[in-house]
Amino acid sequence: MADIRRATGGVVIEQMNSNSIVSDVLVIGVVSIDQLHIDGKSFCTVGGAGMYTAMAAQSGGASVELFAPRPRNMPSILKQVDERLNWFGPQILLRELPHLEITHHGNDVATLNAIEWGAEIKLDPEDLPSDLSECKIVHLAALSSAERQLHFLDACRSRGAPMISAGTYSYVVKHEPETVLTLMKEADIFFMNENEANGLFGSIGDIVTDPGKLVFVTLGRNGVIVLTDNVSEDIPASSVKVFDPTGAGDTFCGANLAGLSRGVFPQEAVTTAIDMAGLVVTALGPQALLS
């Protein structure tokens, strides 16, 4: 299935045998180990924007590849994810996995207490397959900076990727707003939440989309706004009992991409993706996706 080669700088890469990827969705991002604080209790679970997006896209029926740092010795907490995903990338030590600590306060409010990106820096665009022309959508999940996402976008374009999607998060919106705006302009599909949209544009009503581009703004329990060619449509969400909202946005993103990769209309893809995100938040971490 895969062979091992030594990349520039001595980083061992577990790479696909082929120099091309023939799949519906390629996700570039990370898998993390998260410490979550919910209702006064602490939990350790698998996380990472790359993992949630890839798992959701696969659960949505897409064929998926995940390019992310990968432990040489797979710990038990990651084995279910490893068994489900076609996961390749730089081989790392377990202690090099990214780590997040998050406190959820309820009502869609959370605090990111700490983040360690670990071996994320070992992800190198040069280690991507040379031909991405047969991959329907390449998605750039959250990385340590928007600048890094932009470098990957350029590399994917040069390898023939026909459609590129990207997401963002609050830290880079605050510290790299101009780069995030460039990323949004260069991507074909862009995902952000309401707070991120307000940080970039002042209000959702001030968002301007280029012709042919798709923008999705998630509103938590209030649903999603779909913007294309300066036309917006509100799609509501069903009410669910939320336990762990971690990864809801990335789950929505992955399920959405699964539909779009099959040629489903955006509004139909959104409806399915909202349902999957609603299912995920009722359980801890990615348990709903794994089951």
Side-chain angles (χ1 to χ4, degrees):
M1 175 179 169
D3 56 46
I4 304 299
R5 65 183 176 85
R6 188 164 292 277
T8 304
V11 178
V12 178
I13 304 292
E14 183 165 331
Q15 180 65 291
M16 309 307 292
N17 283 330
S18 173
N19 286 324
S20 65
I21 285 183
V22 181
S23 62
D24 295 325
V25 181
L26 166 64
V27 178
I28 299 170
V30 300
V31 179
S32 65
I33 302 295
D34 294 351
Q35 188 75 23
L36 306 179
H37 306 289
I38 304 170
D39 294 334
K41 298 180 180 179
S42 295
F43 304 89
C44 183
T45 184
V46 183
M51 184 279 299
Y52 275 107
T53 306
M55 287 292 300
Q58 187 187 71
S59 296
S63 58
V64 181
E65 310 283 352
L66 172 63
F67 181 53
R70 176 183 170 85
R72 292 190 182 96
N73 298 310
M74 194 63 61
S76 58
I77 194 173
L78 288 179
K79 283 186 177 177
Q80 277 189 290
V81 170
D82 182 47
E83 289 167 358
R84 288 282 299 273
L85 292 176
N86 293 322
W87 174 6
F88 70 102
Q91 286 197 344
I92 63 172
L93 299 174
L94 179 58
R95 67 172 181 269
E96 294 180 291
L97 273 172
H99 291 268
L100 281 75
E101 183 181 358
I102 303 170
T103 299
H104 290 293
H105 307 287
N107 297 319
D108 301 328
V109 177
T111 301
L112 177 60
N113 303 318
I115 182 168
E116 295 179 12
W117 283 100
E120 182 270 351
I121 193 62
K122 293 184 179 180
L123 279 180
D124 189 336
E126 294 302 313
D127 293 321
L128 288 169
S130 58
D131 182 8
L132 297 177
S133 62
E134 298 298 317
C135 183
K136 294 179 182 177
I137 303 175
V138 177
H139 178 71
L140 306 173
L143 297 173
S144 58
S145 71
E147 189 69 32
R148 293 261 292 150
Q149 288 177 292
L150 202 53
H151 286 323
F152 270 98
L153 186 148
D154 292 340
C156 292
R157 288 281 189 225
S158 71
R159 287 162 167 77
M163 185 171 292
I164 298 177
S165 165
T168 191
Y169 60 103
S170 59
Y171 180 88
V172 294
V173 165
K174 181 177 180 180
H175 292 89
E176 302 175 79
E178 293 303 319
T179 305
V180 175
L181 288 171
T182 301
L183 180 68
M184 178 179 173
K185 186 175 182 62
E186 294 296 323
D188 303 291
I189 306 169
F190 196 76
F191 295 86
M192 57 185 158
N193 64 31
E194 183 176 12
N195 290 333
E196 292 152 1
N198 291 337
L200 289 170
F201 296 96
S203 72
I204 293 174
D206 291 326
I207 298 174
V208 177
T209 57
D210 290 339
K213 301 294 181 73
L214 266 174
V215 175
F216 299 94
V217 183
T218 56
L219 310 174
R221 63 193 67 217
N222 293 320
V224 176
I225 296 177
V226 184
L227 299 104
T228 180
D229 295 331
N230 292 325
V231 176
S232 66
E233 182 173 352
D234 292 17
I235 300 179
S238 300
S239 178
V240 297
K241 186 176 181 179
V242 177
F243 176 72
D244 174 17
T246 312
D250 298 309
T251 298
F252 168 81
C253 172
N256 203 336
L257 294 176
L260 294 175
S261 72
R262 296 194 303 271
V264 171
F265 284 112
Q267 293 79 0
E268 182 180 345
V270 164
T271 300
T272 301
I274 287 174
D275 289 343
M276 190 178 294
L279 180 63
V280 165
V281 301
T282 63
L284 178 66
Q287 286 180 1
L289 296 173
L290 291 169
S291 63

